[in-house]
Amino acid sequence: MSGPTGHHDRCGIPIHVGDLLRVDHYTHRRNRRTMNLFFRVAKNGYGQYVVQNWNDLDASHWQCLLRDCGLPWSDVVSESETLRGENGEVMTFNERKRKAKS
């Protein structure tokens, strides 16, 4: 089941368990192209929010904690579960209530 993690991406979109994150990794020196890493958000057996390889659905195989994976440089790309808004309509990740910019 998807649930909010308490963390937000660089656009202020709340990150949920099961979301796919794109994290800027580095800028290529030759053609200045931004290279990215893709992670899936999960919850491990200790109740911590972690990231794992984007195509691995086993939550016991995780790479690092969500808070340490570069959230200031991340974007939510896709969600894994259909969420519904207050009125019962289907809601995508970019329709989630965003954090106010400071």
XYZ file of all heavy atoms in Angstrom:
833
model
N 0.842 -1.182 0.000
C 0.000 0.000 0.000
C 0.881 1.237 0.000
O 1.850 1.329 0.738
C -0.894 -0.023 1.224
C -1.830 1.134 1.287
S -3.195 0.760 2.351
C -3.141 2.114 3.443
N 0.539 2.190 -0.807
C 1.290 3.424 -0.936
C 0.911 4.381 0.188
O -0.239 4.476 0.571
C 0.988 4.052 -2.294
O 1.600 5.303 -2.396
N 1.897 5.075 0.688
C 1.642 6.056 1.719
C 2.701 7.131 1.679
O 3.796 6.908 1.175
N 2.393 8.329 2.179
C 3.381 9.404 2.160
C 4.567 9.094 3.066
O 4.424 8.466 4.104
C 2.601 10.623 2.643
C 1.433 10.077 3.371
C 1.135 8.731 2.783
N 5.736 9.538 2.645
C 6.956 9.291 3.410
C 7.356 10.486 4.269
O 8.219 10.355 5.121
C 8.126 8.987 2.463
O 8.350 10.122 1.626
C 7.843 7.761 1.625
N 6.773 11.643 4.014
C 7.160 12.851 4.734
C 8.247 13.633 4.013
O 8.657 14.690 4.471
N 8.734 13.128 2.882
C 9.754 13.803 2.087
C 9.129 14.347 0.811
O 8.090 13.868 0.363
C 10.883 12.837 1.728
C 11.615 12.303 2.910
N 12.516 13.049 3.632
C 11.580 11.097 3.512
C 13.006 12.326 4.617
N 12.442 11.127 4.569
N 9.779 15.363 0.230
C 9.301 15.983 -1.002
C 10.433 16.051 -2.015
O 11.606 16.107 -1.634
C 8.795 17.400 -0.728
C 7.613 17.437 0.180
N 7.734 17.339 1.551
C 6.299 17.534 -0.076
C 6.536 17.398 2.093
N 5.642 17.503 1.127
N 10.073 16.076 -3.303
C 11.099 16.233 -4.337
C 11.394 17.718 -4.531
O 10.885 18.560 -3.800
C 10.679 15.544 -5.635
C 9.539 16.242 -6.355
O 8.970 17.216 -5.827
O 9.213 15.804 -7.468
N 12.200 18.052 -5.527
C 12.601 19.446 -5.710
C 11.465 20.368 -6.124
O 11.551 21.577 -5.960
C 13.751 19.539 -6.696
C 13.388 19.271 -8.114
C 14.511 19.611 -9.047
N 14.827 18.456 -9.859
C 15.965 18.282 -10.464
N 16.907 19.167 -10.367
N 16.180 17.216 -11.171
N 10.371 19.818 -6.643
C 9.210 20.623 -7.041
C 8.170 20.722 -5.931
O 7.139 21.368 -6.109
C 8.564 20.027 -8.289
S 9.649 20.019 -9.713
N 8.413 20.069 -4.803
C 7.481 20.111 -3.684
C 6.442 19.002 -3.710
O 5.527 18.992 -2.897
N 6.545 18.052 -4.638
C 5.600 16.941 -4.713
C 5.937 15.939 -3.613
O 7.080 15.527 -3.480
C 5.672 16.254 -6.091
C 5.280 17.240 -7.189
C 4.784 15.016 -6.131
C 5.454 16.710 -8.586
N 4.938 15.526 -2.813
C 5.221 14.546 -1.764
C 5.599 13.193 -2.363
O 5.018 12.754 -3.347
C 3.921 14.449 -0.977
C 2.916 15.219 -1.710
C 3.567 15.989 -2.787
N 6.573 12.541 -1.752
C 7.038 11.236 -2.218
C 6.310 10.155 -1.434
O 6.253 10.204 -0.208
C 8.558 11.119 -2.024
C 9.276 12.186 -2.855
C 9.046 9.723 -2.393
C 10.756 12.273 -2.598
N 5.757 9.179 -2.152
C 5.037 8.065 -1.550
C 5.814 6.779 -1.763
O 6.645 6.684 -2.670
C 3.647 7.920 -2.174
C 2.694 8.990 -1.769
N 1.414 8.724 -1.379
C 2.815 10.330 -1.692
C 0.795 9.847 -1.078
N 1.634 10.841 -1.255
N 5.511 5.777 -0.959
C 6.095 4.449 -1.144
C 5.625 3.917 -2.494
O 4.450 4.000 -2.829
C 5.665 3.500 -0.002
C 6.121 2.087 -0.280
C 6.210 3.998 1.317
N 6.559 3.404 -3.275
C 6.239 2.873 -4.595
C 6.510 3.836 -5.728
O 6.461 3.439 -6.894
N 6.797 5.087 -5.424
C 7.093 6.070 -6.471
C 8.428 5.775 -7.127
O 9.341 5.230 -6.500
C 7.135 7.488 -5.894
C 5.761 8.042 -5.597
O 4.765 7.409 -5.998
O 5.684 9.104 -4.966
N 8.544 6.181 -8.373
C 9.801 6.090 -9.101
C 10.433 7.473 -9.089
O 9.806 8.463 -9.470
C 9.543 5.631 -10.534
C 10.754 5.352 -11.390
C 11.511 4.151 -10.838
C 10.333 5.073 -12.820
N 11.686 7.555 -8.604
C 12.401 8.828 -8.511
C 13.507 8.884 -9.551
O 14.186 7.899 -9.796
C 13.058 8.985 -7.137
C 12.173 9.120 -5.927
C 13.032 9.243 -4.683
C 11.262 10.293 -6.048
N 13.682 10.068 -10.134
C 14.819 10.333 -11.006
C 15.722 11.305 -10.257
O 15.308 12.394 -9.868
C 14.355 10.957 -12.319
C 15.523 11.313 -13.237
C 15.057 11.959 -14.511
N 14.359 13.195 -14.190
C 13.381 13.697 -14.930
N 12.977 13.093 -16.006
N 12.812 14.825 -14.583
N 16.966 10.902 -10.034
C 17.917 11.725 -9.289
C 19.049 12.117 -10.226
O 19.636 11.261 -10.888
C 18.490 10.958 -8.068
C 19.469 11.814 -7.311
C 17.365 10.485 -7.168
N 19.343 13.421 -10.300
C 20.475 13.886 -11.113
C 21.760 13.325 -10.534
O 22.027 13.463 -9.336
C 20.547 15.412 -11.122
C 19.379 16.042 -11.857
O 18.662 15.310 -12.561
O 19.191 17.257 -11.723
N 22.554 12.683 -11.376
C 23.782 12.041 -10.907
C 25.002 12.906 -11.204
O 25.763 13.247 -10.322
C 23.909 10.672 -11.548
C 25.036 9.847 -11.048
N 25.260 9.640 -9.704
C 26.001 9.170 -11.691
C 26.320 8.875 -9.558
N 26.787 8.575 -10.746
N 25.191 13.274 -12.464
C 26.293 14.152 -12.840
C 26.007 14.727 -14.223
O 25.107 14.294 -14.921
C 27.644 13.411 -12.835
C 27.788 12.344 -13.894
C 28.359 12.636 -15.127
C 27.370 11.041 -13.665
C 28.496 11.667 -16.093
C 27.509 10.074 -14.628
C 28.066 10.383 -15.842
O 28.190 9.421 -16.793
N 26.783 15.724 -14.624
C 26.688 16.303 -15.955
C 27.889 15.832 -16.762
O 29.035 16.002 -16.329
C 26.661 17.841 -15.886
O 25.567 18.230 -15.058
C 26.499 18.449 -17.255
N 27.614 15.253 -17.903
C 28.682 14.723 -18.749
C 29.580 15.868 -19.199
O 29.111 16.916 -19.622
C 28.077 14.008 -19.951
C 29.054 13.163 -20.691
N 29.861 13.675 -21.669
C 29.347 11.853 -20.587
C 30.620 12.706 -22.152
N 30.323 11.580 -21.514
N 30.894 15.677 -19.114
C 31.833 16.765 -19.387
C 31.879 17.158 -20.853
O 32.140 18.303 -21.192
C 33.235 16.378 -18.927
C 33.832 15.255 -19.736
C 35.289 15.025 -19.385
N 35.835 13.961 -20.176
C 36.288 14.100 -21.412
N 36.251 15.263 -22.003
N 36.773 13.065 -22.067
N 31.589 16.220 -21.731
C 31.765 16.492 -23.149
C 30.553 17.171 -23.789
O 30.685 18.193 -24.436
C 32.068 15.186 -23.862
C 32.696 15.365 -25.182
C 33.305 14.078 -25.598
N 33.986 14.263 -26.851
C 34.406 13.297 -27.593
N 34.219 12.059 -27.211
N 35.018 13.542 -28.711
N 29.396 16.595 -23.599
C 28.210 17.176 -24.245
C 27.250 17.841 -23.260
O 26.148 18.204 -23.634
C 27.490 16.118 -25.076
C 27.036 14.939 -24.251
O 27.171 14.941 -23.033
N 26.510 13.931 -24.907
N 27.660 17.989 -22.003
C 26.902 18.693 -20.969
C 25.514 18.095 -20.748
O 24.592 18.778 -20.349
C 26.785 20.196 -21.270
C 28.088 20.897 -21.550
C 29.127 20.754 -20.483
N 28.670 21.246 -19.196
C 29.267 20.993 -18.048
N 30.334 20.244 -18.013
N 28.803 21.481 -16.941
N 25.364 16.823 -21.012
C 24.097 16.134 -20.812
C 24.006 15.657 -19.360
O 24.962 15.099 -18.820
C 24.019 14.944 -21.757
C 22.757 14.180 -21.662
C 22.739 13.098 -22.711
N 21.665 12.179 -22.419
C 21.538 11.006 -22.964
N 22.429 10.580 -23.835
N 20.539 10.229 -22.658
N 22.867 15.865 -18.723
C 22.672 15.435 -17.342
C 22.383 13.938 -17.323
O 21.481 13.459 -17.998
C 21.498 16.193 -16.695
O 21.780 17.589 -16.743
C 21.308 15.776 -15.253
N 23.166 13.211 -16.545
C 22.980 11.775 -16.395
C 22.189 11.532 -15.105
O 22.438 12.184 -14.095
C 24.329 11.060 -16.342
C 25.236 11.408 -17.503
S 24.470 11.248 -19.110
C 24.777 9.556 -19.451
N 21.239 10.605 -15.148
C 20.322 10.383 -14.034
C 20.391 8.956 -13.520
O 20.763 8.036 -14.251
C 18.883 10.658 -14.475
C 18.695 12.067 -14.961
O 19.008 13.000 -14.261
N 18.178 12.223 -16.164
N 19.984 8.796 -12.279
C 19.773 7.486 -11.662
C 18.281 7.368 -11.370
O 17.622 8.361 -11.054
C 20.551 7.361 -10.357
C 22.059 7.405 -10.445
C 22.661 7.467 -9.045
C 22.583 6.192 -11.179
N 17.749 6.161 -11.465
C 16.336 5.926 -11.181
C 16.218 4.973 -10.005
O 16.879 3.935 -9.957
C 15.631 5.346 -12.414
C 15.503 6.340 -13.522
C 16.508 6.484 -14.460
C 14.388 7.146 -13.615
C 16.408 7.407 -15.474
C 14.270 8.072 -14.627
C 15.283 8.205 -15.555
N 15.380 5.332 -9.036
C 15.173 4.545 -7.830
C 13.683 4.366 -7.577
O 12.883 5.229 -7.923
C 15.765 5.232 -6.593
C 17.247 5.420 -6.629
C 17.796 6.685 -6.733
C 18.099 4.332 -6.527
C 19.163 6.867 -6.740
C 19.471 4.502 -6.537
C 20.003 5.766 -6.646
N 13.331 3.259 -6.927
C 11.969 3.042 -6.450
C 11.986 3.187 -4.933
O 12.889 2.699 -4.266
C 11.481 1.650 -6.839
C 10.035 1.399 -6.470
C 9.493 0.129 -7.070
N 9.740 -0.013 -8.486
C 9.059 0.588 -9.455
N 8.091 1.419 -9.144
N 9.334 0.373 -10.719
N 10.980 3.856 -4.378
C 10.883 4.081 -2.933
C 10.180 2.884 -2.297
O 9.170 2.405 -2.810
C 10.103 5.379 -2.639
C 9.967 5.607 -1.147
C 10.773 6.563 -3.305
N 10.725 2.401 -1.187
C 10.153 1.261 -0.468
C 10.293 1.497 1.029
O 10.897 2.477 1.468
C 10.861 -0.029 -0.868
N 9.734 0.596 1.794
C 9.848 0.629 3.250
C 10.469 -0.695 3.668
O 9.953 -1.764 3.333
C 8.466 0.801 3.879
C 8.481 1.210 5.314
C 7.072 1.565 5.758
C 7.108 2.144 7.143
N 5.780 2.533 7.592
N 11.588 -0.641 4.391
C 12.274 -1.879 4.768
C 11.637 -2.490 6.014
O 10.673 -1.961 6.563
C 13.776 -1.656 4.937
C 14.131 -0.763 6.098
O 13.280 -0.366 6.886
N 15.389 -0.431 6.220
N 12.175 -3.594 6.473
C 11.632 -4.304 7.620
C 11.726 -3.546 8.931
O 11.053 -3.891 9.898
N 12.567 -2.513 8.987
C 12.723 -1.703 10.200
C 11.822 -0.474 10.199
O 11.916 0.354 11.100
C 14.181 -1.262 10.346
C 15.139 -2.421 10.370
C 15.983 -2.661 9.303
C 15.185 -3.280 11.458
C 16.864 -3.733 9.315
C 16.058 -4.355 11.484
C 16.893 -4.580 10.410
O 17.748 -5.642 10.424
N 10.991 -0.324 9.184
C 10.084 0.812 9.099
C 10.726 2.064 8.541
O 10.151 3.149 8.639
N 11.908 1.944 7.938
C 12.591 3.100 7.354
C 12.265 3.182 5.868
O 12.100 2.164 5.206
C 14.099 2.972 7.532
C 14.545 2.909 8.961
C 16.009 2.523 9.068
O 16.495 1.673 8.328
N 16.710 3.156 9.993
N 12.208 4.410 5.355
C 11.986 4.610 3.933
C 13.331 4.523 3.221
O 14.277 5.216 3.576
C 11.314 5.956 3.674
C 9.944 6.019 4.299
C 9.692 6.824 5.395
C 8.913 5.239 3.811
C 8.449 6.864 5.979
C 7.657 5.264 4.388
C 7.429 6.080 5.468
O 6.195 6.113 6.041
N 13.401 3.667 2.222
C 14.652 3.388 1.515
C 14.412 3.484 0.013
O 13.272 3.547 -0.453
C 15.178 1.975 1.865
C 15.548 1.881 3.323
C 14.169 0.897 1.514
N 15.516 3.530 -0.749
C 15.427 3.449 -2.203
C 16.105 2.164 -2.651
O 17.041 1.686 -2.026
C 16.056 4.679 -2.901
C 15.282 5.937 -2.598
C 17.510 4.853 -2.528
N 15.592 1.630 -3.728
C 16.120 0.395 -4.287
C 16.205 0.537 -5.795
O 15.733 1.522 -6.349
C 15.232 -0.784 -3.902
C 13.798 -0.639 -4.373
C 12.887 -1.703 -3.789
O 13.221 -2.331 -2.808
N 11.750 -1.890 -4.399
N 16.806 -0.426 -6.437
C 16.913 -0.409 -7.887
C 15.514 -0.287 -8.491
O 14.566 -0.889 -7.991
C 17.605 -1.690 -8.354
C 18.065 -1.611 -9.764
O 17.924 -0.598 -10.421
N 18.631 -2.698 -10.243
N 15.381 0.452 -9.556
C 14.066 0.773 -10.112
C 13.284 -0.456 -10.550
O 12.056 -0.449 -10.536
C 14.198 1.750 -11.274
C 14.888 1.172 -12.470
C 16.225 1.161 -12.714
C 14.289 0.508 -13.563
N 16.496 0.530 -13.889
C 15.320 0.120 -14.451
C 12.981 0.196 -13.909
C 15.077 -0.555 -15.632
C 12.743 -0.472 -15.099
C 13.784 -0.843 -15.935
N 13.949 -1.541 -10.930
C 13.214 -2.715 -11.407
C 13.156 -3.840 -10.386
O 12.691 -4.925 -10.694
C 13.816 -3.228 -12.719
C 15.258 -3.650 -12.565
O 15.865 -3.459 -11.522
N 15.818 -4.198 -13.618
N 13.609 -3.603 -9.157
C 13.601 -4.620 -8.108
C 12.416 -4.366 -7.183
O 12.310 -3.312 -6.569
C 14.912 -4.558 -7.315
C 15.062 -5.720 -6.364
O 14.215 -6.629 -6.398
O 16.036 -5.724 -5.598
N 11.509 -5.319 -7.081
C 10.318 -5.144 -6.257
C 10.450 -5.766 -4.871
O 9.532 -5.706 -4.076
C 9.101 -5.735 -6.976
C 8.775 -5.075 -8.314
C 7.593 -5.776 -8.970
C 8.478 -3.598 -8.136
N 11.596 -6.356 -4.565
C 11.828 -6.954 -3.250
C 12.372 -5.882 -2.305
O 13.474 -5.376 -2.485
C 12.819 -8.113 -3.376
C 13.015 -8.861 -2.070
O 12.305 -8.547 -1.088
O 13.861 -9.757 -2.041
N 11.585 -5.526 -1.278
C 11.963 -4.432 -0.375
C 13.167 -4.771 0.493
O 13.759 -3.881 1.098
C 10.782 -4.054 0.514
N 13.571 -6.039 0.561
C 14.744 -6.386 1.365
C 16.050 -6.051 0.628
O 17.106 -6.033 1.242
C 14.722 -7.872 1.732
O 14.845 -8.677 0.571
N 15.980 -5.795 -0.665
C 17.159 -5.410 -1.447
C 17.137 -3.895 -1.650
O 16.656 -3.415 -2.667
C 17.160 -6.100 -2.814
C 17.145 -7.579 -2.732
N 16.541 -8.350 -3.680
C 17.650 -8.443 -1.824
C 16.676 -9.616 -3.372
N 17.346 -9.702 -2.232
N 17.654 -3.158 -0.707
C 17.641 -1.703 -0.832
C 19.063 -1.178 -0.845
O 19.996 -1.843 -0.436
C 16.818 -1.060 0.276
C 17.155 -1.473 1.666
C 16.730 -2.583 2.331
C 18.004 -0.769 2.583
N 17.247 -2.617 3.597
C 18.037 -1.517 3.784
C 18.723 0.405 2.509
C 18.760 -1.108 4.894
C 19.444 0.812 3.615
C 19.452 0.059 4.788
N 19.220 0.067 -1.349
C 20.552 0.637 -1.539
C 20.921 1.651 -0.468
O 22.026 1.635 0.039
C 20.644 1.271 -2.916
C 20.504 0.242 -4.003
C 20.635 0.848 -5.382
O 20.633 2.049 -5.542
N 20.745 -0.011 -6.368
N 20.029 2.573 -0.156
C 20.311 3.561 0.892
C 18.995 4.113 1.413
O 17.929 3.845 0.863
C 21.216 4.686 0.375
S 20.455 5.780 -0.808
N 19.082 4.890 2.465
C 17.892 5.528 3.021
C 17.417 6.631 2.085
O 18.212 7.276 1.402
C 18.190 6.109 4.396
C 18.569 5.099 5.479
C 18.952 5.828 6.757
C 17.433 4.138 5.728
N 16.107 6.844 2.064
C 15.524 7.853 1.177
C 16.085 9.239 1.461
O 16.402 9.986 0.546
C 14.001 7.851 1.322
C 13.232 8.911 0.545
C 13.445 8.725 -0.946
C 11.765 8.851 0.886
N 16.261 9.576 2.720
C 16.735 10.916 3.072
C 18.168 11.172 2.599
O 18.600 12.312 2.513
C 16.611 11.154 4.567
C 17.521 10.288 5.396
C 17.434 10.633 6.866
N 18.333 9.803 7.613
C 17.974 8.767 8.351
N 16.696 8.458 8.453
N 18.867 8.050 8.995
N 18.930 10.105 2.289
C 20.325 10.243 1.886
C 20.563 10.099 0.388
O 21.705 10.106 -0.051
C 21.178 9.194 2.614
C 21.136 9.360 4.112
O 20.983 10.508 4.581
O 21.255 8.345 4.824
N 19.516 9.974 -0.405
C 19.722 9.665 -1.829
C 19.766 10.895 -2.729
O 19.820 10.749 -3.939
C 18.659 8.691 -2.334
S 17.096 9.456 -2.724
N 19.733 12.094 -2.204
C 19.816 13.295 -3.033
C 18.460 13.899 -3.328
O 18.147 14.204 -4.479
N 17.628 14.075 -2.315
C 16.278 14.611 -2.520
C 16.252 16.012 -3.129
O 15.347 16.312 -3.895
C 15.503 14.589 -1.203
C 15.134 13.195 -0.706
C 14.464 13.278 0.653
C 14.242 12.498 -1.696
N 17.228 16.898 -2.833
C 17.185 18.218 -3.482
C 17.362 18.154 -5.000
O 17.074 19.113 -5.692
C 18.349 18.972 -2.840
C 18.617 18.279 -1.562
C 18.257 16.850 -1.796
N 17.829 17.031 -5.527
C 18.051 16.874 -6.971
C 17.134 15.821 -7.569
O 17.412 15.288 -8.629
C 19.503 16.499 -7.246
C 20.443 17.461 -6.652
C 20.786 18.686 -7.149
C 21.144 17.325 -5.427
N 21.665 19.310 -6.289
C 21.901 18.487 -5.226
C 21.209 16.316 -4.464
C 22.716 18.681 -4.119
C 22.019 16.499 -3.354
C 22.751 17.673 -3.198
N 16.031 15.478 -6.899
C 15.174 14.393 -7.361
C 13.840 14.903 -7.890
O 13.380 15.984 -7.533
C 14.925 13.404 -6.223
O 14.137 14.008 -5.225
N 13.239 14.088 -8.745
C 11.909 14.337 -9.289
C 11.108 13.047 -9.209
O 11.640 11.972 -9.497
C 11.971 14.739 -10.768
C 12.578 16.109 -10.979
O 12.191 17.032 -10.261
O 13.428 16.232 -11.866
N 9.821 13.152 -8.846
C 8.947 11.996 -8.926
C 8.570 11.832 -10.387
O 8.103 12.763 -11.035
C 7.681 12.179 -8.054
C 6.727 11.021 -8.236
C 8.060 12.330 -6.597
N 8.796 10.640 -10.931
C 8.545 10.383 -12.348
C 7.259 9.595 -12.538
O 6.518 9.819 -13.490
C 9.734 9.617 -12.973
C 9.482 9.309 -14.412
C 11.005 10.426 -12.830
N 6.975 8.665 -11.636
C 5.818 7.793 -11.795
C 5.402 7.255 -10.437
O 6.206 7.169 -9.517
C 6.176 6.634 -12.726
O 5.118 5.728 -12.822
N 4.125 6.881 -10.327
C 3.648 6.250 -9.099
C 3.266 4.813 -9.409
O 3.024 4.450 -10.551
C 2.460 7.004 -8.495
C 1.168 6.859 -9.254
C 0.995 7.874 -10.356
O 1.782 8.800 -10.485
O 0.035 7.718 -11.112
N 3.229 3.978 -8.377
C 2.938 2.566 -8.589
C 1.491 2.209 -8.289
O 1.019 1.168 -8.688
C 3.842 1.705 -7.709
O 3.529 1.928 -6.362
N 0.795 3.054 -7.576
C -0.554 2.736 -7.152
C -1.475 3.910 -7.463
O -1.083 5.064 -7.394
C -0.550 2.467 -5.645
C -1.834 1.914 -5.120
C -1.698 1.521 -3.669
O -0.886 0.641 -3.377
O -2.397 2.124 -2.842
N -2.710 3.621 -7.798
C -3.682 4.654 -8.100
C -4.186 5.272 -6.807
O -4.670 4.565 -5.925
C -4.865 4.073 -8.890
O -4.359 3.444 -10.058
C -5.841 5.147 -9.288
N -4.045 6.580 -6.692
C -4.550 7.305 -5.528
C -5.820 8.044 -5.913
O -6.022 8.396 -7.070
C -3.508 8.301 -5.040
C -2.193 7.718 -4.551
C -1.221 8.830 -4.214
C -2.420 6.848 -3.340
N -6.641 8.306 -4.930
C -7.884 9.028 -5.170
C -7.901 10.300 -4.322
O -7.442 10.299 -3.196
C -9.081 8.162 -4.837
C -9.093 6.875 -5.649
C -10.487 6.410 -5.925
N -10.463 5.276 -6.819
C -10.788 5.339 -8.099
N -11.148 6.476 -8.629
N -10.767 4.269 -8.854
N -8.431 11.371 -4.891
C -8.541 12.642 -4.195
C -9.737 12.668 -3.256
O -10.414 11.660 -3.045
N -10.033 13.847 -2.699
C -11.153 13.989 -1.768
C -12.491 13.695 -2.414
O -13.413 13.200 -1.782
C -11.186 15.416 -1.173
C -10.029 15.750 -0.275
C -8.908 16.434 -1.035
O -9.150 16.976 -2.127
O -7.775 16.401 -0.529
N -12.613 14.004 -3.701
C -13.882 13.787 -4.401
C -13.984 12.393 -5.015
O -14.958 12.089 -5.698
C -14.091 14.856 -5.477
C -12.932 14.923 -6.443
O -11.997 14.136 -6.366
N -12.995 15.870 -7.358
N -13.006 11.526 -4.816
C -13.062 10.156 -5.292
C -12.506 9.939 -6.687
O -12.485 8.813 -7.166
N -12.049 10.993 -7.346
C -11.491 10.838 -8.684
C -10.035 10.390 -8.614
O -9.328 10.661 -7.651
C -11.584 12.163 -9.445
C -13.006 12.569 -9.751
C -13.075 13.848 -10.558
O -12.012 14.422 -10.871
O -14.189 14.277 -10.850
N -9.587 9.711 -9.662
C -8.209 9.239 -9.731
C -7.267 10.431 -9.772
O -7.513 11.424 -10.458
C -8.013 8.348 -10.978
C -6.568 7.956 -11.137
C -8.889 7.122 -10.889
N -6.174 10.338 -9.012
C -5.229 11.436 -8.884
C -3.834 10.913 -9.223
O -3.429 9.870 -8.735
C -5.274 11.938 -7.436
C -4.452 13.142 -7.150
S -4.744 13.779 -5.487
C -3.874 12.599 -4.506
N -3.096 11.631 -10.074
C -1.729 11.241 -10.413
C -0.750 11.958 -9.484
O -1.131 12.826 -8.702
C -1.393 11.582 -11.869
O -1.488 12.993 -12.042
C -2.329 10.876 -12.819
N 0.539 11.595 -9.603
C 1.539 12.158 -8.692
C 1.657 13.671 -8.830
O 1.919 14.363 -7.874
C 2.901 11.497 -8.899
C 3.570 11.823 -10.203
C 4.421 12.898 -10.306
C 3.350 11.047 -11.323
C 5.042 13.205 -11.495
C 3.967 11.339 -12.514
C 4.815 12.421 -12.606
N 1.463 14.216 -10.035
C 1.619 15.664 -10.204
C 0.387 16.435 -9.748
O 0.388 17.655 -9.777
C 2.002 16.020 -11.637
C 1.012 15.504 -12.638
O 0.108 14.765 -12.295
N 1.192 15.874 -13.880
N -0.666 15.743 -9.297
C -1.841 16.412 -8.743
C -1.856 16.379 -7.214
O -2.778 16.886 -6.600
C -3.117 15.742 -9.262
C -3.300 15.879 -10.744
C -4.483 15.093 -11.269
O -4.770 14.013 -10.730
O -5.108 15.576 -12.208
N -0.834 15.802 -6.603
C -0.735 15.783 -5.150
C -0.514 17.192 -4.619
O 0.093 18.013 -5.292
C 0.424 14.899 -4.688
C 0.259 13.447 -5.040
C 1.476 12.659 -4.623
N 1.427 11.301 -5.122
C 2.474 10.510 -5.199
N 3.656 10.909 -4.791
N 2.342 9.290 -5.681
N -1.002 17.439 -3.414
C -0.818 18.758 -2.815
C 0.667 18.990 -2.573
O 1.325 18.230 -1.891
C -1.587 18.845 -1.501
C -1.551 20.209 -0.876
C -2.525 20.297 0.253
C -2.429 21.610 0.984
N -2.737 22.768 0.202
N 1.179 20.064 -3.140
C 2.609 20.357 -3.065
C 2.967 21.159 -1.820
O 2.136 21.856 -1.261
C 3.054 21.136 -4.299
C 2.916 20.332 -5.559
C 3.254 21.166 -6.768
N 2.979 20.388 -7.958
C 3.866 20.166 -8.904
N 5.068 20.668 -8.819
N 3.553 19.454 -9.950
N 4.212 21.042 -1.450
C 4.754 21.822 -0.335
C 4.950 23.251 -0.810
O 5.395 23.482 -1.931
C 6.084 21.203 0.082
C 6.762 21.862 1.213
C 7.999 21.064 1.586
C 9.164 21.977 1.747
N 10.391 21.276 2.076
N 4.606 24.202 0.041
C 4.755 25.611 -0.327
C 6.230 25.951 -0.499
O 7.079 25.506 0.266
C 4.137 26.500 0.741
N 6.533 26.739 -1.515
C 7.927 27.149 -1.751
C 8.299 28.204 -0.720
O 7.554 29.090 -0.401
C 8.071 27.724 -3.146
C 7.793 26.695 -4.194
C 8.688 26.880 -5.332
C 8.380 25.770 -6.319
N 9.351 25.576 -7.286
N 9.514 28.075 -0.203
C 9.966 29.054 0.806
C 11.057 29.923 0.285
O 11.611 29.801 -0.728
C 10.429 28.334 2.048
O 11.303 27.295 1.746
